Amino acid sequence: MDFNNILKEIQDEIQKYFTRGKLPDYIPMLAQADENDFAMSLITLDGEEFNIGCSDKKFSIQSISKVYTFTLALEHYSKQLYTRVGHEPSGDPFNSLVQLEYESGIPRNPFINAGAIVTTDCLSSIYGENAFNEILNFIRKVSNDTTIANDEEIFTSELGHGFRNFALINLMKSYSNIKNPVDDVIQTYFKQCSIMMNTKQLAKSMLFLANHGKDPFSKSTIINVSKAKRINSLMLTCGHYDASGDFAYRVGLPGKSGVGGGIVAVVPKKMGICVYSPKLNKHGNSLIGTKALELFTTKTGLSIF
Ligand code: DON
């Protein structure tokens, strides 16, 4: 398949959507992104790479980080993890509080904010004050890139404005579903969200999920086959919050979005993908990113269905 040409076609066809969508402003630093940025990267299991647009430009991964923390928490806790966080779609926005009160502080899944904060708390119980460094090291390992780091300005921007996340973590603490000090856990969570990566690095970091849990280059096992299946399943059913059904319908791949404008996707047994465009739809997912992935699976037939 001529992926270079397909990426060019996608870039042409998305141009008309640049008037749509909105930059997020609840984290002030994210409102400073360049609205016209677009990048898309593909990397196959045998290491062939295809890129278009600003694929070297780093942006904050935000909720894409939830894939890595879920992977780490599942590795350590196995089924026990599901006593603290579920694996069902929520049907609610990523930062919603209502369901959490009805369901006694147990978040529906690890990809909504409340669920991701619980997985970060689980990692804090294991790693203590090294939790953020262990998360970062894991991301560096699956991306095979030791230069990856977080952005302190974005971290501080969210720390000063993340009022809903403070509400979520305090509500869960009241139900004893947060075991470590609230301030430590929320800071680790905001730091993981402020990790900066480009589409090339993010696409590569998805390869273990496309390859039954194994790094295709070093052949080392990142996570076992069964857990890799679970992570992909949750990306498909919960990776885009209350637009997860719509994303599955349009794109048909496991995927995870971030409010920084990135979306990662996995083509099982074939490739990792990442697309970046910072303006978001009303569900907080990249509007053009979703469109680009829809065009990709339509043109290539590479959806899982
Ligand atoms: O916690 C937050 O609200 C952000 N740091 C991350 C949310 C996010 O990325 C939602 N994704 N589309």
Side-chain angles (χ1 to χ4, degrees):
M1 228 175 298
D2 185 351
F3 288 119
N4 282 319
N5 199 40
I6 288 167
L7 289 180
K8 278 201 194 89
E9 283 178 22
I10 292 172
Q11 191 180 38
D12 286 347
E13 290 171 39
I14 48 119
Q15 293 304 318
K16 59 176 181 267
Y17 299 104
F18 274 102
T19 52
R20 298 207 203 153
K22 201 175 161 297
L23 290 175
D25 52 13
Y26 79 101
I27 303 173
M29 277 296 290
L30 297 188
Q32 294 179 22
D34 184 340
E35 295 192 349
N36 296 315
D37 275 348
F38 172 75
M40 188 162 182
S41 296
L42 320 174
I43 178 164
T44 64
L45 290 185
D46 47 23
E48 262 197 293
E49 294 190 39
F50 306 89
N51 302 292
I52 200 154
C54 56
S55 57
D56 287 311
K57 184 164 187 169
K58 294 189 175 179
F59 53 90
S60 64
I61 66 172
Q62 296 296 331
S63 289
I64 297 172
S65 67
K66 297 167 180 174
V67 177
Y68 312 116
T69 49
F70 176 44
T71 303
L72 273 173
L74 193 58
E75 177 63 3
H76 285 289
Y77 289 83
S78 297
K79 277 188 199 147
Q80 276 298 105
L81 184 65
Y82 299 117
T83 60
R84 308 261 315 266
V85 56
H87 47 74
E88 288 292 343
S90 69
D92 276 333
F94 61 88
N95 54 9
S96 173
L97 281 145
V98 277
Q99 200 168 47
L100 199 57
E101 169 77 341
Y102 288 136
E103 299 183 359
S104 309
I106 307 291
R108 274 288 174 100
N109 68 66
F111 293 151
I112 51 174
N113 287 7
I117 291 168
V118 166
T119 62
T120 299
D121 181 56
C122 290
L123 297 177
S124 293
S125 296
I126 292 173
Y127 299 126
E129 61 187 26
N130 283 329
F132 172 69
N133 279 334
E134 293 290 338
I135 294 165
L136 183 60
N137 283 337
F138 180 73
I139 294 175
R140 288 173 168 175
K141 180 169 90 171
V142 293
S143 314
N144 194 21
D145 190 331
T146 53
T147 67
I148 295 169
N150 80 309
D151 182 303
E152 285 295 311
E153 247 188 304
I154 294 178
F155 163 66
T156 312
S157 182
E158 185 160 17
L159 190 61
H161 295 82
F163 305 113
R164 293 188 75 87
N165 285 323
F166 281 104
L168 289 167
I169 193 169
N170 280 295
L171 185 58
M172 292 191 288
K173 186 83 179 169
S174 79
Y175 284 108
S176 304
N177 197 20
I178 295 292
K179 311 295 179 196
N180 297 281
V182 159
D183 285 339
D184 295 352
V185 177
I186 204 77
Q187 290 202 22
T188 302
Y189 170 73
F190 288 151
K191 273 196 182 163
Q192 76 188 48
C193 289
S194 73
I195 289 172
M196 304 296 286
M197 291 168 76
N198 59 36
T199 54
K200 289 179 183 168
Q201 292 166 324
L202 281 159
K204 191 179 277 179
S205 77
M206 288 296 115
L207 285 178
F208 76 98
L209 290 173
N211 194 38
H212 298 301
K214 268 195 171 104
D215 180 321
F217 308 126
S218 70
K219 312 287 179 212
S220 65
T221 298
I222 307 289
I223 195 139
N224 73 27
V225 180
S226 155
K227 287 173 178 161
K229 180 182 87 173
R230 313 278 183 224
I231 298 161
N232 275 292
S233 305
L234 284 210
M235 287 170 75
L236 183 75
T237 55
C238 309
H240 287 73
Y241 320 109
D242 47 341
S244 297
D246 189 57
F247 186 84
Y249 176 84
R250 288 176 193 280
V251 179
L253 291 174
K256 182 75 209 78
S257 65
V259 82
I263 302 180
V264 288
V266 175
V267 183
K269 304 192 193 78
K270 287 203 167 54
M271 65 172 75
I273 306 180
C274 181
V275 59
Y276 170 62
S277 170
K279 281 166 86 183
L280 308 178
N281 63 23
K282 65 175 192 297
H283 303 285
N285 305 316
S286 172
L287 188 145
I288 286 182
T290 307
K291 194 68 207 168
L293 287 166
E294 180 179 6
L295 287 166
F296 177 80
T297 51
T298 304
K299 286 173 188 292
T300 59
L302 286 175
S303 90
I304 61 173
F305 302 110

mmCIF file of all heavy atoms in Angstrom, residues 26-27 62-63 66 94 113 158 165 189-190 193 241 256-260 284-285, ligand 1:
data_model
loop_
_atom_site.group_PDB
_atom_site.id
_atom_site.type_symbol
_atom_site.label_atom_id
_atom_site.label_comp_id
_atom_site.label_asym_id
_atom_site.label_seq_id
_atom_site.Cartn_x
_atom_site.Cartn_y
_atom_site.Cartn_z
ATOM 1 N N TYR A 26 -9.507 25.330 29.456
ATOM 2 C CA TYR A 26 -9.537 25.083 30.906
ATOM 3 C C TYR A 26 -8.139 24.775 31.451
ATOM 4 O O TYR A 26 -7.915 24.784 32.656
ATOM 5 C CB TYR A 26 -10.564 23.982 31.240
ATOM 6 C CG TYR A 26 -10.093 22.567 30.993
ATOM 7 C CD1 TYR A 26 -9.661 21.766 32.038
ATOM 8 C CD2 TYR A 26 -10.075 22.036 29.708
ATOM 9 C CE1 TYR A 26 -9.220 20.469 31.824
ATOM 10 C CE2 TYR A 26 -9.645 20.754 29.483
ATOM 11 C CZ TYR A 26 -9.216 19.963 30.539
ATOM 12 O OH TYR A 26 -8.772 18.689 30.308
ATOM 13 N N ILE A 27 -7.187 24.477 30.536
ATOM 14 C CA ILE A 27 -5.765 24.449 30.908
ATOM 15 C C ILE A 27 -5.142 25.573 30.062
ATOM 16 O O ILE A 27 -4.926 25.408 28.853
ATOM 17 C CB ILE A 27 -5.110 23.089 30.572
ATOM 18 C CG1 ILE A 27 -5.858 21.939 31.274
ATOM 19 C CG2 ILE A 27 -3.626 23.100 30.971
ATOM 20 C CD1 ILE A 27 -5.396 20.539 30.876
ATOM 21 N N GLN A 62 -1.267 14.569 27.471
ATOM 22 C CA GLN A 62 -2.510 14.601 28.252
ATOM 23 C C GLN A 62 -3.075 13.192 28.489
ATOM 24 O O GLN A 62 -2.372 12.356 28.990
ATOM 25 C CB GLN A 62 -3.509 15.560 27.596
ATOM 26 C CG GLN A 62 -3.014 17.007 27.611
ATOM 27 C CD GLN A 62 -2.855 17.586 29.008
ATOM 28 O OE1 GLN A 62 -3.560 17.189 29.920
ATOM 29 N NE2 GLN A 62 -1.927 18.505 29.196
ATOM 30 N N SER A 63 -4.311 12.935 28.059
ATOM 31 C CA SER A 63 -4.943 11.668 28.435
ATOM 32 C C SER A 63 -4.375 10.448 27.709
ATOM 33 O O SER A 63 -4.726 9.317 28.082
ATOM 34 C CB SER A 63 -6.446 11.728 28.168
ATOM 35 O OG SER A 63 -7.054 12.574 29.093
ATOM 36 N N LYS A 66 -2.863 7.979 29.948
ATOM 37 C CA LYS A 66 -3.670 7.002 30.696
ATOM 38 C C LYS A 66 -3.472 5.576 30.175
ATOM 39 O O LYS A 66 -3.681 4.608 30.911
ATOM 40 C CB LYS A 66 -5.150 7.391 30.624
ATOM 41 C CG LYS A 66 -5.462 8.739 31.290
ATOM 42 C CD LYS A 66 -6.858 9.246 30.917
ATOM 43 C CE LYS A 66 -7.193 10.575 31.570
ATOM 44 N NZ LYS A 66 -8.484 11.124 31.101
ATOM 45 N N PHE A 94 -15.228 13.202 30.018
ATOM 46 C CA PHE A 94 -14.026 12.673 30.694
ATOM 47 C C PHE A 94 -13.847 13.167 32.122
ATOM 48 O O PHE A 94 -13.235 12.508 32.941
ATOM 49 C CB PHE A 94 -12.765 12.983 29.869
ATOM 50 C CG PHE A 94 -12.463 14.440 29.644
ATOM 51 C CD1 PHE A 94 -11.702 15.149 30.568
ATOM 52 C CD2 PHE A 94 -12.910 15.099 28.511
ATOM 53 C CE1 PHE A 94 -11.387 16.486 30.355
ATOM 54 C CE2 PHE A 94 -12.616 16.436 28.299
ATOM 55 C CZ PHE A 94 -11.862 17.134 29.222
ATOM 56 N N ASN A 113 -11.023 10.656 33.618
ATOM 57 C CA ASN A 113 -10.058 11.240 34.562
ATOM 58 C C ASN A 113 -10.057 10.518 35.911
ATOM 59 O O ASN A 113 -8.990 10.218 36.453
ATOM 60 C CB ASN A 113 -10.347 12.723 34.779
ATOM 61 C CG ASN A 113 -9.968 13.560 33.570
ATOM 62 O OD1 ASN A 113 -9.610 13.024 32.524
ATOM 63 N ND2 ASN A 113 -10.039 14.874 33.706
ATOM 64 N N GLU A 158 -1.925 23.413 34.643
ATOM 65 C CA GLU A 158 -3.042 22.543 35.026
ATOM 66 C C GLU A 158 -3.202 22.494 36.553
ATOM 67 O O GLU A 158 -4.336 22.478 37.060
ATOM 68 C CB GLU A 158 -2.861 21.127 34.455
ATOM 69 C CG GLU A 158 -4.092 20.280 34.752
ATOM 70 C CD GLU A 158 -4.272 19.062 33.893
ATOM 71 O OE1 GLU A 158 -3.300 18.626 33.240
ATOM 72 O OE2 GLU A 158 -5.399 18.527 33.892
ATOM 73 N N ASN A 165 -10.594 18.100 38.574
ATOM 74 C CA ASN A 165 -9.795 16.946 38.994
ATOM 75 C C ASN A 165 -9.594 16.930 40.512
ATOM 76 O O ASN A 165 -9.588 15.860 41.127
ATOM 77 C CB ASN A 165 -8.452 16.936 38.267
ATOM 78 C CG ASN A 165 -8.606 16.488 36.822
ATOM 79 O OD1 ASN A 165 -9.420 15.607 36.534
ATOM 80 N ND2 ASN A 165 -7.848 17.088 35.921
ATOM 81 N N TYR A 189 -0.357 12.824 38.539
ATOM 82 C CA TYR A 189 -1.291 12.754 37.401
ATOM 83 C C TYR A 189 -1.097 13.945 36.455
ATOM 84 O O TYR A 189 -0.992 13.785 35.236
ATOM 85 C CB TYR A 189 -2.735 12.685 37.931
ATOM 86 C CG TYR A 189 -3.780 12.847 36.842
ATOM 87 C CD1 TYR A 189 -4.025 11.822 35.932
ATOM 88 C CD2 TYR A 189 -4.488 14.043 36.707
ATOM 89 C CE1 TYR A 189 -4.957 11.987 34.912
ATOM 90 C CE2 TYR A 189 -5.423 14.208 35.694
ATOM 91 C CZ TYR A 189 -5.650 13.177 34.802
ATOM 92 O OH TYR A 189 -6.560 13.343 33.782
ATOM 93 N N PHE A 190 -1.017 15.163 36.994
ATOM 94 C CA PHE A 190 -0.831 16.337 36.126
ATOM 95 C C PHE A 190 0.529 16.281 35.414
ATOM 96 O O PHE A 190 0.647 16.698 34.268
ATOM 97 C CB PHE A 190 -0.945 17.645 36.931
ATOM 98 C CG PHE A 190 -2.350 17.975 37.381
ATOM 99 C CD1 PHE A 190 -2.570 18.704 38.545
ATOM 100 C CD2 PHE A 190 -3.456 17.580 36.644
ATOM 101 C CE1 PHE A 190 -3.859 19.029 38.958
ATOM 102 C CE2 PHE A 190 -4.753 17.894 37.050
ATOM 103 C CZ PHE A 190 -4.949 18.624 38.214
ATOM 104 N N CYS A 193 0.382 13.971 32.468
ATOM 105 C CA CYS A 193 -0.379 14.600 31.384
ATOM 106 C C CYS A 193 0.477 15.619 30.629
ATOM 107 O O CYS A 193 0.240 15.890 29.451
ATOM 108 C CB CYS A 193 -1.630 15.292 31.930
ATOM 109 S SG CYS A 193 -2.891 14.150 32.496
ATOM 110 N N TYR A 241 -14.176 8.494 25.645
ATOM 111 C CA TYR A 241 -15.224 8.944 26.581
ATOM 112 C C TYR A 241 -16.614 8.745 25.991
ATOM 113 O O TYR A 241 -16.893 7.671 25.440
ATOM 114 C CB TYR A 241 -14.984 10.410 26.999
ATOM 115 C CG TYR A 241 -13.517 10.675 27.217
ATOM 116 C CD1 TYR A 241 -12.766 11.455 26.348
ATOM 117 C CD2 TYR A 241 -12.859 10.060 28.278
ATOM 118 C CE1 TYR A 241 -11.407 11.641 26.533
ATOM 119 C CE2 TYR A 241 -11.500 10.245 28.465
ATOM 120 C CZ TYR A 241 -10.790 11.038 27.589
ATOM 121 O OH TYR A 241 -9.447 11.216 27.766
ATOM 122 N N LYS A 256 -6.849 6.223 21.602
ATOM 123 C CA LYS A 256 -6.939 7.047 22.825
ATOM 124 C C LYS A 256 -6.589 8.480 22.477
ATOM 125 O O LYS A 256 -5.570 8.747 21.850
ATOM 126 C CB LYS A 256 -5.973 6.524 23.888
ATOM 127 C CG LYS A 256 -6.032 7.296 25.202
ATOM 128 C CD LYS A 256 -7.259 6.953 26.007
ATOM 129 C CE LYS A 256 -7.744 8.089 26.893
ATOM 130 N NZ LYS A 256 -8.493 9.150 26.154
ATOM 131 N N SER A 257 -7.458 9.378 22.931
ATOM 132 C CA SER A 257 -7.265 10.790 22.636
ATOM 133 C C SER A 257 -6.673 11.523 23.836
ATOM 134 O O SER A 257 -6.706 11.017 24.962
ATOM 135 C CB SER A 257 -8.620 11.415 22.328
ATOM 136 O OG SER A 257 -9.413 11.354 23.503
ATOM 137 N N GLY A 258 -6.156 12.704 23.574
ATOM 138 C CA GLY A 258 -5.710 13.595 24.647
ATOM 139 C C GLY A 258 -6.164 15.006 24.314
ATOM 140 O O GLY A 258 -6.241 15.381 23.137
ATOM 141 N N VAL A 259 -6.448 15.781 25.348
ATOM 142 C CA VAL A 259 -6.957 17.131 25.149
ATOM 143 C C VAL A 259 -5.863 18.069 24.589
ATOM 144 O O VAL A 259 -6.146 19.176 24.124
ATOM 145 C CB VAL A 259 -7.582 17.612 26.486
ATOM 146 C CG1 VAL A 259 -6.546 18.143 27.430
ATOM 147 C CG2 VAL A 259 -8.695 18.575 26.286
ATOM 148 N N GLY A 260 -4.617 17.568 24.542
ATOM 149 C CA GLY A 260 -3.533 18.301 23.871
ATOM 150 C C GLY A 260 -3.637 18.226 22.351
ATOM 151 O O GLY A 260 -2.857 18.867 21.646
ATOM 152 N N GLY A 284 -14.043 16.852 23.524
ATOM 153 C CA GLY A 284 -12.660 17.014 23.986
ATOM 154 C C GLY A 284 -11.664 16.155 23.232
ATOM 155 O O GLY A 284 -10.557 15.918 23.705
ATOM 156 N N ASN A 285 -12.053 15.685 22.034
ATOM 157 C CA ASN A 285 -11.153 14.873 21.212
ATOM 158 C C ASN A 285 -10.792 15.670 19.949
ATOM 159 O O ASN A 285 -11.619 16.450 19.459
ATOM 160 C CB ASN A 285 -11.850 13.571 20.802
ATOM 161 C CG ASN A 285 -12.362 12.792 22.010
ATOM 162 O OD1 ASN A 285 -11.655 12.656 23.004
ATOM 163 N ND2 ASN A 285 -13.593 12.305 21.926
HETATM 164 O O1 DON B 1 -7.156 15.894 33.486
HETATM 165 C C1 DON B 1 -7.422 16.583 32.502
HETATM 166 O O2 DON B 1 -8.487 17.176 32.372
HETATM 167 C C2 DON B 1 -6.358 16.646 31.412
HETATM 168 N N1 DON B 1 -5.050 16.666 31.991
HETATM 169 C C3 DON B 1 -6.475 15.473 30.503
HETATM 170 C C4 DON B 1 -7.851 15.328 29.888
HETATM 171 C C5 DON B 1 -7.813 14.806 28.509
HETATM 172 O O3 DON B 1 -6.800 14.747 27.876
HETATM 173 C C6 DON B 1 -9.127 14.455 27.900
HETATM 174 N N2 DON B 1 -8.928 13.925 26.565
HETATM 175 N N3 DON B 1 -9.309 14.064 25.505
#
